[in-house]
Coordinates of all heavy atoms in Angstrom, one line a residue:
M249 N -11.1 -2.2 24.8 CA -12.4 -1.5 24.5 C -12.6 -1.1 23.1 O -11.7 -0.7 22.4 CB -12.4 -0.1 25.4 CG -12.5 -0.4 26.8 SD -14.2 -0.9 27.3 CE -15.1 0.6 27.2
W250 N -13.8 -1.2 22.6 CA -14.1 -0.9 21.2 C -14.4 0.6 21.2 O -15.1 1.1 22.1 CB -15.3 -1.7 20.7 CG -14.9 -3.1 20.4 CD1 -15.2 -4.2 21.3 CD2 -14.2 -3.6 19.3 NE1 -14.7 -5.3 20.7 CE2 -14.1 -5.0 19.5 CE3 -13.7 -3.1 18.1 CZ2 -13.5 -5.8 18.6 CZ3 -13.0 -3.9 17.3 CH2 -12.9 -5.3 17.5
K251 N -14.0 1.2 20.1 CA -14.3 2.6 19.9 C -15.4 2.6 18.8 O -15.2 2.1 17.7 CB -13.1 3.4 19.4 CG -12.6 4.4 20.4 CD -11.4 5.0 20.0 CE -11.6 6.3 19.2 NZ -10.3 7.0 18.8
Y252 N -16.6 3.2 19.1 CA -17.6 3.2 18.2 C -17.6 4.5 17.3 O -18.6 5.3 17.4 CB -19.0 3.0 18.9 CG -19.2 1.6 19.4 CD1 -19.0 1.3 20.7 CD2 -19.5 0.6 18.5 CE1 -19.1 -0.1 21.1 CE2 -19.6 -0.7 18.9 CZ -19.4 -1.0 20.2 OH -19.6 -2.3 20.6
T253 N -16.6 4.7 16.6 CA -16.5 5.8 15.7 C -17.2 5.3 14.4 O -16.8 4.3 13.8 CB -15.1 6.2 15.4 OG1 -14.4 6.3 16.6 CG2 -15.0 7.4 14.5
P254 N -18.2 6.1 14.0 CA -18.9 5.6 12.7 C -17.9 5.8 11.5 O -17.6 6.9 11.1 CB -20.1 6.6 12.6 CG -19.8 7.7 13.5 CD -18.7 7.3 14.5
A255 N -17.4 4.7 11.0 CA -16.6 4.7 9.8 C -17.4 4.4 8.6 O -18.1 3.5 8.6 CB -15.4 3.7 10.0
P256 N -17.3 5.3 7.6 CA -18.0 5.1 6.4 C -17.5 3.8 5.6 O -16.3 3.5 5.7 CB -17.8 6.3 5.5 CG -16.5 6.9 6.1 CD -16.5 6.5 7.5
R257 N -18.4 3.2 4.9 CA -18.0 2.0 4.2 C -17.4 2.3 2.8 O -16.6 1.6 2.3 CB -19.3 1.1 3.9 CG -19.7 0.4 5.1 CD -20.8 -0.7 4.8 NE -21.0 -1.5 5.9 CZ -20.3 -2.6 6.3 NH1 -19.3 -2.9 5.6 NH2 -20.7 -3.3 7.4
S258 N -17.7 3.5 2.3 CA -17.1 3.9 1.1 C -17.1 5.5 1.0 O -17.8 6.1 1.7 CB -17.8 3.3 -0.1 OG -19.1 3.9 -0.2
A259 N -16.2 6.0 0.2 CA -16.1 7.4 0.0 C -15.6 7.7 -1.4 O -14.8 7.0 -2.0 CB -15.1 8.0 1.0
Q260 N -16.2 8.8 -1.9 CA -15.8 9.1 -3.3 C -14.6 10.0 -3.2 O -14.6 11.0 -2.5 CB -17.0 9.9 -3.9 CG -16.7 10.3 -5.4 CD -16.5 9.1 -6.3 OE1 -17.3 8.2 -6.4 NE2 -15.3 9.0 -6.9
T261 N -13.5 9.6 -3.9 CA -12.3 10.4 -3.9 C -12.2 11.2 -5.3 O -13.0 11.0 -6.2 CB -11.1 9.5 -3.7 OG1 -10.8 8.8 -4.9 CG2 -11.2 8.6 -2.6
T262 N -11.2 12.0 -5.4 CA -10.9 12.7 -6.6 C -9.7 12.1 -7.3 O -9.2 12.6 -8.3 CB -10.7 14.2 -6.4 OG1 -9.6 14.3 -5.5 CG2 -11.9 14.9 -5.7
I263 N -9.2 10.9 -6.8 CA -8.1 10.3 -7.3 C -8.4 9.6 -8.6 O -9.3 8.7 -8.7 CB -7.5 9.3 -6.3 CG1 -7.2 10.0 -5.0 CG2 -6.2 8.7 -6.9 CD1 -7.0 9.0 -3.8
P264 N -7.8 10.0 -9.7 CA -8.1 9.3 -11.0 C -7.5 7.9 -11.1 O -6.3 7.7 -10.7 CB -7.5 10.3 -12.1 CG -6.4 11.0 -11.4 CD -6.8 11.0 -9.9
C265 N -8.2 7.0 -11.7 CA -7.8 5.7 -12.0 C -6.6 5.8 -12.9 O -6.6 6.5 -13.9 CB -8.9 4.9 -12.6 SG -8.4 3.3 -13.2
S266 N -5.6 4.9 -12.7 CA -4.4 5.0 -13.5 C -4.7 4.4 -14.9 O -3.9 4.6 -15.9 CB -3.2 4.3 -12.9 OG -3.6 2.9 -12.6
C267 N -5.7 3.7 -15.1 CA -6.1 3.1 -16.4 C -7.0 4.0 -17.2 O -6.8 4.2 -18.4 CB -6.8 1.7 -16.2 SG -5.8 0.6 -15.2
C268 N -8.0 4.5 -16.6 CA -9.1 5.3 -17.3 C -9.4 6.6 -16.8 O -10.3 7.3 -17.3 CB -10.4 4.4 -17.4 SG -11.1 4.2 -15.8
S269 N -8.7 7.0 -15.7 CA -8.9 8.4 -15.1 C -10.3 8.6 -14.5 O -10.6 9.8 -14.1 CB -8.7 9.5 -16.2 OG -7.3 9.4 -16.6
T270 N -11.1 7.6 -14.3 CA -12.3 7.7 -13.6 C -12.0 7.9 -12.1 O -11.1 7.2 -11.6 CB -13.2 6.5 -13.7 OG1 -13.5 6.3 -15.1 CG2 -14.5 6.6 -12.9
P271 N -12.6 8.9 -11.4 CA -12.4 9.1 -10.0 C -12.7 7.8 -9.2 O -13.7 7.1 -9.4 CB -13.3 10.2 -9.5 CG -13.7 10.9 -10.8 CD -13.6 9.9 -11.9
L272 N -11.7 7.4 -8.4 CA -11.8 6.1 -7.7 C -12.7 6.2 -6.4 O -12.8 7.3 -5.9 CB -10.4 5.6 -7.3 CG -9.5 5.3 -8.4 CD1 -8.1 5.1 -7.9 CD2 -10.0 4.0 -9.1
E273 N -13.3 5.1 -6.0 CA -14.1 5.1 -4.8 C -13.3 4.3 -3.8 O -12.8 3.2 -4.0 CB -15.4 4.3 -5.2 CG -16.5 4.5 -4.2 CD -17.7 3.7 -4.6 OE1 -18.2 3.8 -5.7 OE2 -18.1 2.8 -3.8
A274 N -13.2 4.9 -2.6 CA -12.5 4.2 -1.5 C -13.5 3.3 -0.8 O -14.6 3.7 -0.5 CB -12.0 5.3 -0.5
R275 N -13.1 2.1 -0.6 CA -14.0 1.1 0.0 C -13.2 0.4 1.1 O -12.0 0.3 1.0 CB -14.5 0.1 -1.0 CG -15.4 0.6 -2.0 CD -15.9 -0.5 -2.9 NE -17.0 0.0 -3.8 CZ -17.7 -0.8 -4.6 NH1 -17.3 -2.1 -4.7 NH2 -18.7 -0.3 -5.3
R276 N -14.0 -0.1 2.0 CA -13.3 -0.9 3.1 C -14.0 -2.3 3.2 O -15.2 -2.4 3.0 CB -13.3 -0.2 4.4 CG -14.7 -0.1 5.1 CD -14.5 0.6 6.4 NE -15.9 0.9 7.0 CZ -16.4 0.1 7.9 NH1 -15.8 -1.0 8.3 NH2 -17.5 0.4 8.4
S277 N -13.2 -3.2 3.5 CA -13.8 -4.6 3.8 C -13.0 -5.1 5.0 O -11.8 -5.2 5.0 CB -13.6 -5.5 2.6 OG -12.2 -5.6 2.3
C278 N -13.7 -5.3 6.1 CA -13.1 -5.7 7.3 C -12.0 -4.7 7.7 O -12.3 -3.6 8.1 CB -12.5 -7.1 7.2 SG -13.7 -8.4 7.0
H279 N -10.8 -5.1 7.6 CA -9.7 -4.2 8.1 C -9.0 -3.5 7.0 O -8.1 -2.7 7.2 CB -8.7 -4.9 9.0 CG -9.4 -5.7 10.1 ND1 -10.0 -5.0 11.1 CD2 -9.6 -7.0 10.3 CE1 -10.5 -6.0 11.9 NE2 -10.3 -7.2 11.4
E280 N -9.3 -3.8 5.7 CA -8.6 -3.3 4.6 C -9.4 -2.3 3.8 O -10.5 -2.5 3.5 CB -8.1 -4.5 3.7 CG -6.9 -5.2 4.2 CD -6.1 -5.8 3.1 OE1 -6.7 -6.4 2.3 OE2 -4.9 -5.7 3.1
A281 N -8.6 -1.4 3.3 CA -9.2 -0.4 2.4 C -8.7 -0.6 1.0 O -7.5 -0.9 0.8 CB -8.9 1.0 2.9
T282 N -9.6 -0.4 0.1 CA -9.2 -0.6 -1.3 C -9.7 0.6 -2.1 O -10.7 1.3 -1.7 CB -9.7 -1.9 -2.0 OG1 -11.1 -2.0 -1.8 CG2 -8.9 -3.0 -1.4
L283 N -9.2 0.9 -3.3 CA -9.7 1.9 -4.2 C -10.4 1.2 -5.3 O -9.7 0.4 -6.0 CB -8.6 2.8 -4.6 CG -8.1 3.7 -3.5 CD1 -6.8 4.4 -3.9 CD2 -9.1 4.8 -3.2
Y284 N -11.6 1.5 -5.6 CA -12.4 0.8 -6.6 C -12.7 1.7 -7.8 O -13.1 2.8 -7.6 CB -13.7 0.2 -6.0 CG -14.6 -0.5 -7.0 CD1 -14.2 -1.8 -7.4 CD2 -15.7 0.1 -7.5 CE1 -15.1 -2.4 -8.3 CE2 -16.5 -0.5 -8.4 CZ -16.2 -1.8 -8.8 OH -17.0 -2.5 -9.7
C285 N -12.5 1.2 -9.0 CA -12.8 1.9 -10.2 C -14.1 1.4 -10.7 O -14.1 0.2 -11.2 CB -11.7 1.8 -11.2 SG -12.1 2.6 -12.8
P286 N -15.1 2.1 -10.7 CA -16.4 1.7 -11.2 C -16.4 1.4 -12.7 O -17.3 0.7 -13.3 CB -17.4 2.8 -10.9 CG -16.6 4.0 -10.6 CD -15.2 3.5 -10.2
S287 N -15.5 2.1 -13.4 CA -15.4 1.9 -14.9 C -14.6 0.6 -15.2 O -15.1 -0.1 -16.1 CB -14.7 3.1 -15.5 OG -14.7 3.1 -16.9
C288 N -13.5 0.4 -14.6 CA -12.7 -0.8 -14.9 C -13.3 -2.0 -14.1 O -12.9 -3.1 -14.4 CB -11.3 -0.6 -14.5 SG -10.4 0.7 -15.3
K289 N -14.1 -1.7 -13.1 CA -14.6 -2.7 -12.2 C -13.5 -3.5 -11.6 O -13.5 -4.7 -11.5 CB -15.6 -3.7 -12.9 CG -16.8 -3.0 -13.4 CD -17.8 -4.0 -13.9 CE -19.1 -3.5 -14.5 NZ -19.3 -2.0 -14.5
R290 N -12.4 -2.7 -11.2 CA -11.3 -3.3 -10.5 C -11.0 -2.6 -9.2 O -11.3 -1.4 -9.1 CB -10.0 -3.2 -11.4 CG -10.0 -4.2 -12.5 CD -8.8 -4.1 -13.3 NE -7.6 -4.2 -12.6 CZ -6.3 -3.9 -13.0 NH1 -6.2 -3.4 -14.2 NH2 -5.3 -4.1 -12.3
A291 N -10.4 -3.3 -8.3 CA -10.0 -2.7 -7.0 C -8.5 -2.7 -6.9 O -7.8 -3.6 -7.4 CB -10.6 -3.5 -5.8
F292 N -8.0 -1.6 -6.4 CA -6.6 -1.4 -6.3 C -6.2 -1.2 -4.9 O -6.9 -0.6 -4.1 CB -6.1 -0.2 -7.2 CG -6.6 -0.2 -8.6 CD1 -7.8 0.4 -9.0 CD2 -5.9 -0.9 -9.5 CE1 -8.1 0.4 -10.3 CE2 -6.3 -0.9 -10.9 CZ -7.5 -0.3 -11.2
P293 N -5.0 -1.7 -4.5 CA -4.5 -1.4 -3.1 C -4.3 0.1 -2.9 O -3.8 0.8 -3.8 CB -3.2 -2.2 -3.1 CG -3.0 -3.0 -4.3 CD -4.0 -2.4 -5.3
V294 N -4.7 0.5 -1.8 CA -4.5 2.0 -1.4 C -3.1 2.3 -1.6 O -2.8 3.5 -2.0 CB -5.0 2.2 0.0 CG1 -4.6 3.6 0.5 CG2 -6.6 2.1 0.1
Q295 N -2.2 1.5 -1.2 CA -0.7 1.8 -1.3 C -0.3 2.3 -2.7 O 0.6 3.1 -2.8 CB 0.1 0.5 -0.9 CG 0.0 0.1 0.5 CD -1.1 -1.0 0.6 OE1 -2.2 -0.8 0.3 NE2 -0.7 -2.2 1.0
D296 N -1.0 1.7 -3.7 CA -0.6 2.1 -5.1 C -0.9 3.6 -5.4 O -0.4 4.2 -6.3 CB -1.4 1.3 -6.1 CG -0.9 -0.1 -6.2 OD1 -0.1 -0.5 -5.3 OD2 -1.4 -0.9 -7.0
Y297 N -1.8 4.2 -4.6 CA -2.3 5.5 -4.8 C -1.9 6.5 -3.7 O -2.4 7.6 -3.7 CB -3.8 5.5 -5.1 CG -4.1 5.0 -6.5 CD1 -4.4 3.6 -6.6 CD2 -4.2 5.8 -7.6 CE1 -4.7 3.1 -7.8 CE2 -4.4 5.2 -8.8 CZ -4.7 3.9 -8.9 OH -5.0 3.3 -10.2
V298 N -1.1 6.0 -2.8 CA -0.8 6.8 -1.6 C -0.2 8.2 -2.0 O -0.5 9.2 -1.4 CB 0.2 6.1 -0.7 CG1 1.0 7.0 0.2 CG2 -0.6 5.2 0.3
K299 N 0.6 8.2 -3.0 CA 1.2 9.4 -3.5 C 0.1 10.5 -4.0 O 0.4 11.6 -4.1 CB 2.2 9.2 -4.7 CG 3.4 8.5 -4.2 CD 4.4 8.2 -5.4 CE 5.2 7.0 -5.1 NZ 5.4 6.2 -6.3
H300 N -1.0 9.9 -4.4 CA -2.1 10.8 -5.0 C -3.2 11.0 -4.0 O -4.3 11.5 -4.4 CB -2.7 10.1 -6.2 CG -1.6 9.7 -7.2 ND1 -0.9 10.6 -8.0 CD2 -1.1 8.4 -7.5 CE1 0.0 9.9 -8.7 NE2 -0.1 8.6 -8.4
M301 N -3.0 10.7 -2.8 CA -4.0 10.8 -1.7 C -4.6 12.2 -1.7 O -3.9 13.2 -1.7 CB -3.4 10.4 -0.4 CG -4.5 10.5 0.7 SD -4.2 9.7 2.2 CE -3.0 8.4 2.0
D302 N -6.0 12.2 -1.7 CA -6.7 13.5 -1.5 C -7.3 13.5 -0.1 O -7.2 12.6 0.6 CB -7.7 13.7 -2.6 CG -8.9 12.8 -2.5 OD1 -8.8 11.8 -1.7 OD2 -9.8 12.9 -3.3
E303 N -8.0 14.6 0.1 CA -8.6 14.8 1.4 C -9.7 13.7 1.8 O -9.8 13.2 2.9 CB -9.3 16.2 1.5 CG -9.4 16.7 2.9 CD -9.9 18.1 2.9 OE1 -9.5 18.9 2.0 OE2 -10.8 18.4 3.8
A304 N -10.5 13.3 0.7 CA -11.5 12.4 0.9 C -10.9 11.0 1.4 O -11.4 10.4 2.3 CB -12.3 12.2 -0.3
L305 N -9.8 10.6 0.7 CA -9.2 9.3 1.1 C -8.5 9.4 2.4 O -8.6 8.5 3.3 CB -8.2 9.0 0.0 CG -7.4 7.6 0.3 CD1 -8.4 6.5 0.4 CD2 -6.4 7.4 -0.8
E306 N -7.9 10.6 2.7 CA -7.3 10.8 4.0 C -8.3 10.6 5.1 O -8.0 9.9 6.1 CB -6.6 12.2 4.0 CG -5.4 12.2 4.9 CD -4.8 13.6 4.9 OE1 -4.6 14.1 3.8 OE2 -4.5 14.1 5.9
N307 N -9.4 11.3 5.0 CA -10.4 11.2 6.0 C -11.0 9.8 6.1 O -11.3 9.4 7.2 CB -11.6 12.2 5.7 CG -11.2 13.6 5.8 OD1 -10.2 13.9 6.5 ND2 -11.9 14.5 5.1
F308 N -11.1 9.1 5.0 CA -11.7 7.8 5.0 C -10.7 6.9 5.7 O -11.1 6.1 6.6 CB -11.8 7.3 3.5 CG -12.4 5.9 3.4 CD1 -13.7 5.7 3.7 CD2 -11.6 4.9 3.1 CE1 -14.3 4.5 3.5 CE2 -12.2 3.6 2.9 CZ -13.5 3.4 3.1
L309 N -9.4 7.0 5.5 CA -8.4 6.1 6.1 C -8.3 6.5 7.6 O -8.1 5.6 8.4 CB -7.1 6.3 5.5 CG -7.0 5.7 4.0 CD1 -5.6 6.0 3.5 CD2 -7.3 4.3 4.0
E310 N -8.5 7.8 7.9 CA -8.4 8.2 9.3 C -9.6 7.5 10.1 O -9.3 7.1 11.3 CB -8.6 9.7 9.4 CG -7.7 10.3 10.5 CD -7.6 11.8 10.2 OE1 -8.5 12.5 10.5 OE2 -6.6 12.2 9.7
A311 N -10.7 7.3 9.5 CA -11.9 6.7 10.2 C -11.6 5.2 10.4 O -12.2 4.6 11.3 CB -13.1 6.9 9.3
L312 N -10.7 4.6 9.6 CA -10.4 3.2 9.8 C -9.3 3.0 10.9 O -9.2 1.8 11.3 CB -9.8 2.7 8.5 CG -10.7 2.6 7.3 CD1 -10.0 2.0 6.1 CD2 -12.0 1.9 7.6
Q313 N -8.6 4.0 11.3 CA -7.6 3.8 12.2 C -8.0 3.1 13.5 O -7.2 2.3 14.0 CB -7.0 5.2 12.6 CG -6.2 5.9 11.5 CD -5.1 5.1 11.0 OE1 -4.2 4.6 11.7 NE2 -5.0 4.9 9.7
C314 N -9.2 3.3 13.9 CA -9.7 2.6 15.2 C -9.7 1.1 15.0 O -9.7 0.4 16.0 CB -11.0 3.2 15.6 SG -12.3 2.9 14.3
N315 N -9.7 0.6 13.7 CA -9.8 -0.8 13.6 C -8.4 -1.4 13.5 O -8.2 -2.6 13.4 CB -10.4 -1.1 12.2 CG -11.9 -0.8 12.3 OD1 -12.5 -0.9 13.3 ND2 -12.5 -0.4 11.2
R316 N -7.3 -0.6 13.5 CA -6.0 -1.1 13.4 C -5.3 -1.1 14.8 O -5.4 -0.1 15.5 CB -5.2 -0.2 12.4 CG -5.8 -0.4 11.0 CD -4.8 0.3 10.1 NE -5.4 0.0 8.7 CZ -4.9 0.6 7.6 NH1 -3.9 1.4 7.7 NH2 -5.4 0.4 6.5
I317 N -4.6 -2.2 15.0 CA -3.8 -2.4 16.3 C -4.7 -2.4 17.5 O -5.6 -1.5 17.6 CB -2.7 -1.4 16.5 CG1 -1.7 -1.5 15.3 CG2 -1.9 -1.7 17.7 CD1 -0.6 -0.5 15.2
Ligands
LIG127 ZN1 -10.4 2.6 -14.3

């Protein structure tokens, strides 16, 4: 059964980019979440920033859980 939990496509986090300190944007594509820096125009794996996870990212990833397994 599919769970129709409305999962946002992106979320603004407070996690600073490791290159330029711009707050990263959490994005999802299909089943994967990435962190995007609008300044560097680069996407980073969420795993790279797991240690810096904030509430916005946590909630974002929680919404994705229904897509996993
Ligand atoms: Zn950056």
Side-chain angles (χ1 to χ4, degrees):
M249 287 291 282
W250 289 100
K251 249 173 93 181
Y252 287 101
T253 309
R257 285 190 173 274
S258 66
Q260 184 61 58
T261 74
T262 58
I263 304 165
C265 172
S266 60
C267 303
C268 66
S269 296
T270 299
L272 296 169
E273 196 184 302
R275 291 184 170 185
R276 72 181 172 96
S277 59
C278 296
H279 307 291
E280 278 208 317
T282 52
L283 288 166
Y284 179 76
C285 175
S287 183
C288 299
K289 296 190 182 0
R290 282 180 60 192
F292 305 95
V294 170
Q295 293 95 296
D296 288 7
Y297 288 89
V298 154
K299 287 179 208 142
H300 310 285
M301 182 163 336
D302 70 352
E303 206 177 318
L305 179 58
E306 207 178 315
N307 291 339
F308 183 74
L309 293 178
E310 218 163 78
L312 295 183
Q313 291 302 309
C314 60
N315 290 331
R316 294 191 176 169
I317 301 176

